[in-house]
Amino acid sequence: MPRVGQLKRAQHGFTLLELLVVMVIIGLLTGIVGPKLFKNIGKSEVKAAKAQIDSLGKALDQYRLDTGHYPTTEQGLNSLVTKPANESKWEGPYLTKAVPADPWGRPYLYKNPGEHGDYDLFSYGKDGQVGGSGDAADIVNW
C-alpha cells in the first residue's frame, strides 16, 4: 500500500507560472496572426462581389439570348428569376436561387441602357458610396 507522500508526488498539474507562459505565447500568436487574417477578409468580400457580378452577367446574357434584349431597369435583376409580364420568349429562371445581395448586404445596382455598355451592373462596395478605394471601391462589370 502506497504511503501518503507517494500519492501526492504521483499527481501532476501545471504551475501558475507554466499557465502564464502558455497564455503569453497564445497572446503573442493572436497579436501577430489576427491582424493578417482580418486584413484578408475585406479582399475575400471584394472577390465574392466580383464573382457574383460575373455570374449575374452570364445570366443576363442568357436572358438576352432567349428574349433578344436585356431586362429593363424597371424589370431589374428579379427578371432573371421571375418571368416579367409581357415577355413571351422568357425561358428562365436564369438563376437557381434568388438574386443575391452583395457581400455587404445591399442589392446590386442594375441599369439598362448602361452608361458603360449594354447594361451597368455594380455595387458601391463596403462603404456603400460612389467611388472609394481598397475595400470601399466600387465593383463594376465594365
Side-chain angles (χ1 to χ4, degrees):
M1 195 157 139
R3 292 188 286 187
V4 176
Q6 289 176 333
L7 285 177
K8 287 187 178 181
R9 286 188 199 129
Q11 296 175 354
H12 295 296
F14 296 106
T15 66
L16 182 59
L17 183 60
E18 290 170 330
L19 290 173
L20 288 174
V21 168
V22 169
M23 291 180 68
V24 167
I25 291 170
I26 290 172
L28 287 172
L29 288 173
T30 303
I32 293 169
V33 175
K36 291 184 181 185
L37 289 176
F38 289 119
K39 184 175 92 175
N40 290 330
I41 288 174
K43 290 180 184 176
S44 65
E45 289 172 334
V46 170
K47 287 180 183 178
K50 287 179 181 179
Q52 286 178 331
I53 284 177
D54 183 57
S55 177
L56 291 170
K58 290 177 182 172
L60 286 165
D61 290 340
Q62 186 62 48
Y63 180 101
R64 186 183 64 81
L65 287 173
D66 289 347
T67 63
H69 58 87
Y70 289 108
T72 65
T73 301
E74 292 77 27
Q75 290 171 325
L77 296 175
N78 285 331
S79 62
L80 298 174
V81 179
T82 306
K83 182 179 179 179
N86 302 324
E87 193 62 70
S88 61
K89 296 179 182 177
W90 191 84
E91 296 290 329
Y94 300 96
L95 296 174
T96 56
K97 297 179 182 176
V99 177
D102 71 13
W104 302 278
R106 293 183 291 274
Y108 284 101
L109 303 167
Y110 172 76
K111 292 181 183 176
N112 179 16
E115 297 173 14
H116 304 278
D118 291 331
Y119 63 87
D120 291 348
L121 180 60
F122 56 100
S123 166
Y124 286 137
K126 184 177 183 177
D127 65 354
Q129 303 293 321
V130 175
S133 61
D135 294 346
D138 297 348
I139 297 98
V140 299
N141 72 318
W142 57 89

